Amino acid sequence: MQWSRHVTGLTFIFVFVVTYFTNKFVLSVLKFTYPTLFQGWQTFIGAVLLLLSGKLGWVEISRIPRSAALSWLPGSFLFVGTIYAGSRALSHMEIPFYFTIQNASHVVSYAILKATYGEKVQWLKLISLCFMLLAAINLPFFDPQFDKSGYQWAVIHLVCTGAYRVFKVHHKPSHLSDLEQQYVNYLFSVLLLALAAHPTGDLAGVLEFPFLSSHTFHGGCCASALLGFLLLLATVRLRSGFSLEHVGVWIFLSKVATMSLSPLVFNVEVNVPSLLCVTGSYVAEALLVYSQRESPL
């Protein structure tokens, strides 16, 4: 029924907004800038909850063949790069600016498709990509709270995000569903981030973290892990119940809602030029969603 489809979309928006707000709170307000531990915790809880949900029959997860898991490892590596660099960037950037840079990942996706598959780009899609890239390039010059490190990590994040999007669409192991792919991502992430915790200094730094014994910190970390898992389920439900075109619309609305509400929760400093960059990027994304009615990317 139509109303149930709207409930699914609105639920996705709600979980999306709360997830990003919770992550932003832990990373920026509490200043827990130790992404190997933060993302390692989230992916560990995600793996546990996904496995438990499969055992209870809430979701369908079959035995994963070793060959299928190994073939998916390049995607898992890109996934780790996406979440690690994304945490670094989000801890230094305001949410509207973070999404503006993230939107440029679509440019990376189409550059890879053009170089690898020789894909032709529609003129409307090309215009939207150009505006996204233009907004992302100009935003650092107008950001009132410009942080070089944040933008450097944001660039890594958008590259990994764009490459992962292409890999996920064009490399589909016959034995792995979306949830099983994510389960492999979780396991690989936990292993890699655990190994990286000491070399990056996160393990030593967290021992001096001032909020380590705070109930607010514990609650924020637990909420972020649970919300990350719920967002995964909401995304899978969204993709299974809607066409690619409508999935893009709901994701776009989720980002707009998060961006619009973020000044009510966090201290966001903007000026006219930076606002124009953000607005231009979202107008370009709306054009991209409209032009993607027959394309998976």
Side-chain angles (χ1 to χ4, degrees):
M1 296 177 64
Q2 193 68 25
W3 66 268
S4 63
R5 290 165 60 85
H6 289 156
V7 169
T8 299
L10 292 173
T11 300
F12 174 80
I13 291 178
F14 175 77
V15 176
F16 187 96
V17 172
V18 177
T19 299
Y20 268 94
F21 280 5
T22 303
N23 288 342
K24 180 63 176 175
F25 176 78
V26 175
L27 292 169
S28 295
V29 178
L30 297 182
K31 300 185 184 302
F32 189 73
T33 53
Y34 305 100
T36 57
L37 299 177
F38 183 62
Q39 293 298 338
W41 161 256
Q42 287 191 329
T43 52
F44 172 74
I45 295 299
V48 171
L49 292 176
L50 196 53
L51 180 61
L52 181 61
S53 299
K55 294 293 185 181
L56 294 175
W58 296 344
V59 299
E60 185 176 348
I61 298 182
S62 306
R63 179 181 174 85
I64 300 176
R66 182 179 301 178
S67 58
L70 290 175
S71 70
W72 186 254
L73 286 185
S76 296
F77 185 81
L78 290 171
F79 174 79
V80 175
T82 296
I83 62 175
Y84 182 89
S87 287
R88 289 282 194 184
L90 188 59
S91 65
H92 293 281
M93 301 175 65
E94 302 302 338
I95 288 177
F97 300 157
Y98 172 82
F99 282 145
T100 299
I101 300 298
Q102 187 188 69
N103 281 350
S105 65
H106 291 285
V107 179
V108 175
S109 295
Y110 285 105
I112 294 174
L113 287 174
K114 184 66 176 178
T116 307
Y117 301 98
E119 181 172 300
K120 296 181 179 180
V121 182
Q122 305 170 10
W123 67 269
L124 185 58
K125 188 176 297 182
L126 182 61
I127 291 174
S128 67
L129 293 175
C130 289
F131 274 106
M132 282 183 181
L133 183 60
L134 188 64
I137 290 175
N138 283 280
L139 180 60
F141 298 103
F142 303 119
D143 185 351
Q145 296 178 308
F146 173 76
D147 187 304
K148 182 179 179 181
S149 176
Y151 279 93
Q152 288 174 338
W153 283 111
V155 170
I156 298 174
H157 171 69
L158 73 88
V159 171
C160 291
T161 300
Y164 181 74
R165 185 184 295 116
V166 174
F167 185 83
K168 186 173 177 63
V169 170
H170 287 271
H171 181 82
K172 295 182 177 180
S174 58
H175 299 290
L176 293 182
S177 65
D178 286 345
L179 286 176
E180 290 164 352
Q181 290 171 10
Q182 193 61 32
Y183 185 63
V184 175
N185 288 343
Y186 281 155
L187 293 180
F188 182 78
S189 301
V190 172
L191 176 62
L192 190 60
L193 292 170
L195 294 174
H198 180 66
T200 58
D202 285 6
L203 193 58
V206 74
L207 297 177
E208 301 177 0
F209 184 63
F211 296 102
L212 194 60
S213 60
S214 167
H215 294 300
T216 303
F217 169 70
H218 295 159
C221 286
C222 290
S224 68
L226 178 60
L227 287 166
F229 174 70
L230 293 177
L231 182 60
L232 167 65
L233 296 184
T235 302
V236 172
R237 179 67 181 273
L238 190 74
R239 293 185 184 279
S240 64
F242 291 87
S243 66
L244 291 172
E245 177 188 357
H246 287 98
V247 168
V249 171
W250 283 111
I251 293 176
F252 171 75
L253 292 176
S254 300
K255 293 166 71 173
V256 170
T258 308
M259 176 198 68
S260 302
L261 294 173
S262 62
L264 303 178
V265 181
F266 305 101
N267 181 27
V268 180
E269 293 187 20
V270 297
N271 51 32
V272 173
S274 63
L275 184 59
L276 288 175
C277 289
V278 173
T279 303
S281 179
Y282 278 91
V283 170
E285 187 178 9
L287 288 175
L288 183 64
V289 170
Y290 178 77
S291 69
Q292 284 180 324
R293 288 171 294 176
E294 299 179 357
S295 172
L297 288 175

